[in-house]
Amino acid sequence: MASRVLHRPTFSLVTALLAALALVLGGAPASADPVIPGVDEAVSSPDLKHLANLPKQGAFASPTAYNSDLAFKGDLAFAGNYNGFTVYDIDKAAAPTIVSQVLCPGSQNDISVTGNLLFLSTDSSRSDDSCQSVAKPVTDPTAWEGIKIFDISDPANPRYVKSVETKCGSHTHTLVPSKSRKTVYLYVSSYLTSAASVGADCTYPHDKISVIKVPVKDPTAAALVAEPVLFSDGGNPGDGLAYPETTYATTGCHDLTVYPDKDLMAGACMGDGALFDISDREYPRLITAVRDDVNFSFWHSATFNNKADKVVFTDELGGGGTATCNETIGSSKGADAIYDIVGKGDRRKLVFRSYFKIPRANADTENCVAHNGNLIPVKGRDIMVQAWYQGGISVWDFTNSRKPKELAYFERGPLSATSLVLGGSWSAYYYNGHIFSNDIQKGFDVLDVTDPLTKHADRYEYRQLNPQTQYDLF
């Protein structure tokens, strides 16, 4: 069934004030109940238009073959899936086409590209490093997890060329260019959430990352070169409470976002949000860290603003698989947290300014929480597009870090009215004039944002985009 696209106002303080005014005047209060779209119904603000959707296909069509992260190069988009990855031709953004699909199971298949190389994260215990591997118990010392490297010089026929095993696998990874540009580094993030996830080469404590060095012209020489410990004090010990109050102990990092031009990295590390110096690419050094044991459960990802004087951290409350965009959870949990970076050098600190959460309630059958996004290149403003799983896609402005506001949104109704089915936008990124989203169940989406504050964004042209590797846009 085709989705119907509707427009509706965002519930906000204005709605509440109208309700209060109605009571004062003696009339019936304006309804403050959110209007939740029905199953297979799409809603949006007038300034975010849905242009195209390509459903999941072939070996990726199964409900358990989750779509994951995105990377871009030229007129191509590379979309991760728990069963492998898809290459899309986005030269005509409103009519994307599939160039190729590579079947290579191994969750979550987080993805990045540089030149003719593509990197893929494997974070599930496999029988070997091939694309024909099968699941294997994590306690088996012969099991494999880590990074796979592909040659994409022919996008229609990607070629697998190398693997590098890493301890505790690779949940995500971040591409970091060397200062010589002759090599690139991969910062491999992996973490432990319970003793049950400990394997033969994955043991407590795990306050480290894996650093892989890749010679660009000889990727077969890629190798693990360092395993720096990021938190010498062990990081946040956690509180051991039950969801949704729990604060996770820091036993690794989920996402690392680098700003190579400024030798900076922001780390979302379970129980800690952190700022690192990466002037020595092989050994990141902690500058400062913050905790929020009241409202943050699991520090998930980080995005700098263009000046690198702010960081947006996300909290993946409930692991992305539960309903947290509702009145029960409220507006501060499962949200973004905006921090200003104040001071200079090793005296820099992260100073909390505010939270941002989408101002629409979701059904209790919708997994919804802050997830992956990037900056929209608007000079003089800090504007971001962001995925919220079944909460949809939000475009919001944090130029005033104390008063963030949403500019535009698009979302679909729940996948089911009776049970929670994991779905929604995993990643939503702005790239060369359009927003591209990898929806866990619905497939590849293309959108056009027309809010007046973003009207000059298409003047900036990317050659490639790995959202966790940020550069000065202006």
Side-chain angles (χ1 to χ4, degrees), residues 44-50 393 395 408-410 435 447-450:
S44 71
S45 59
D47 46 1
L48 190 55
K49 182 180 180 181
H50 187 237
I393 297 164
V395 176
Y409 70 90
F410 168 85
I435 290 170
L447 303 98
D448 182 33
V449 59
T450 59

Side-chain angles (χ1 to χ4, degrees), residues 48 296 300-303 312-316 334-338 356-358 360 369-376 383-389 391-398 406 408-410 425-430 435-437 447:
L48 190 55
F296 258 48
H300 174 274
S301 56
T303 303
V312 173
F313 289 104
T314 70
D315 173 22
E316 195 182 46
D336 296 315
I338 306 163
F356 172 79
K357 193 171 184 179
I358 55 172
R360 289 170 303 286
V369 75
H371 216 237
N372 294 0
N374 75 328
L375 296 180
I376 296 179
I383 298 176
M384 183 174 177
V385 58
Q386 188 173 12
W388 288 78
Y389 290 119
I393 297 164
S394 177
V395 176
W396 61 289
D397 187 332
F398 63 102
E406 184 173 76
Y409 70 90
F410 168 85
S425 179
W426 179 294
S427 303
Y429 300 126
Y430 181 92
I435 290 170
F436 298 90
S437 167
L447 303 98

Side-chain angles (χ1 to χ4, degrees), residues 55 152 166 232 250 325 337 347 361 395:
I152 52 170
T166 56
S232 59
T250 298
C325 297
R347 295 185 177 181
V395 176

Side-chain angles (χ1 to χ4, degrees), residues 174-198:
T174 302
L175 189 146
V176 191
S178 69
K179 295 185 177 182
S180 71
R181 304 287 172 163
K182 294 181 180 180
T183 59
V184 295
Y185 290 95
L186 300 181
Y187 289 172
V188 177
S189 297
S190 53
Y191 60 89
L192 304 174
T193 56
S194 69
S197 64
V198 176

Side-chain angles (χ1 to χ4, degrees), residues 70-79 86-90 436 444:
L70 293 166
F72 303 85
K73 174 192 171 185
D75 293 328
L76 300 173
F78 301 85
T86 301
V87 183
Y88 293 98
D89 185 332
I90 55 172
F436 298 90
F444 187 66

Side-chain angles (χ1 to χ4, degrees), residues 38-355:
V39 174
D40 205 30
E41 181 178 67
V43 297
S44 71
S45 59
D47 46 1
L48 190 55
K49 182 180 180 181
H50 187 237
L51 299 180
N53 171 263
L54 271 178
K56 298 193 299 183
Q57 299 179 25
F60 301 170
S62 165
T64 58
Y66 305 139
N67 275 344
S68 57
D69 215 354
L70 293 166
F72 303 85
K73 174 192 171 185
D75 293 328
L76 300 173
F78 301 85
N81 178 282
Y82 274 47
N83 278 348
F85 65 92
T86 301
V87 183
Y88 293 98
D89 185 332
I90 55 172
D91 180 43
K92 297 179 180 178
T97 58
I98 294 177
V99 177
S100 60
Q101 285 189 315
V102 176
L103 181 62
C104 197
S107 64
Q108 14 182 64
N109 280 334
D110 190 55
I111 199 165
S112 68
V113 296
T114 185
N116 289 324
L117 300 178
L118 179 147
F119 305 100
L120 207 62
S121 284
T122 300
D123 191 37
S124 59
S125 188
R126 311 297 297 179
S127 57
D128 55 54
D129 65 350
S130 75
C131 285
Q132 295 75 45
S133 68
V134 295
K136 201 168 193 177
V138 70
T139 52
D140 189 324
T142 67
W144 184 92
E145 297 178 77
I147 290 286
K148 300 184 179 90
I149 305 174
F150 291 80
D151 183 320
I152 52 170
S153 53
D154 179 1
N157 297 284
R159 182 171 58 89
Y160 183 18
V161 296
K162 174 73 174 181
S163 72
V164 180
E165 188 171 14
T166 56
K167 292 178 180 177
C168 299
S170 175
H171 193 69
T172 66
H173 69 270
T174 302
L175 189 146
V176 191
S178 69
K179 295 185 177 182
S180 71
R181 304 287 172 163
K182 294 181 180 180
T183 59
V184 295
Y185 290 95
L186 300 181
Y187 289 172
V188 177
S189 297
S190 53
Y191 60 89
L192 304 174
T193 56
S194 69
S197 64
V198 176
D201 64 351
C202 183
T203 58
Y204 287 101
H206 187 74
D207 301 317
K208 64 182 72 174
I209 61 171
S210 298
V211 180
I212 295 173
K213 186 176 183 179
V214 185
V216 174
K217 293 185 178 181
D218 184 16
T220 59
L224 181 70
V225 293
E227 293 178 329
V229 172
L230 299 186
F231 298 94
S232 59
D233 65 352
N236 195 329
D239 58 21
L241 298 176
Y243 168 83
E245 287 80 16
T246 184
T247 296
Y248 277 85
T250 298
T251 55
C253 291
H254 185 281
D255 258 22
L256 301 167
T257 296
V258 296
Y259 203 141
D261 296 339
K262 300 183 184 296
D263 287 333
L264 278 179
M265 177 170 75
C269 301
M270 302 181 73
D272 292 271
L275 190 67
F276 299 88
D277 181 306
I278 59 167
S279 52
D280 182 342
R281 296 288 195 256
E282 296 184 11
Y283 288 94
R285 180 176 57 83
L286 180 66
I287 298 172
T288 188
V290 290
R291 297 172 184 172
D292 182 349
D293 294 342
V294 175
N295 285 315
F296 258 48
S297 172
F298 188 95
W299 297 70
H300 174 274
S301 56
T303 303
F304 289 102
N305 69 333
N306 195 58
K307 291 183 179 179
D309 58 9
K310 300 174 190 171
V311 182
V312 173
F313 289 104
T314 70
D315 173 22
E316 195 182 46
L317 177 66
T322 56
T324 72
C325 297
N326 53 37
E327 292 182 357
T328 301
I329 300 299
S331 61
S332 297
K333 294 179 182 291
D336 296 315
I338 306 163
Y339 284 79
D340 285 351
I341 302 173
V342 300
K344 296 181 179 180
D346 286 351
R347 295 185 177 181
R348 283 173 284 194
K349 300 293 183 184
L350 291 164
V351 179
F352 173 77
R353 295 305 188 202
S354 65
Y355 297 110

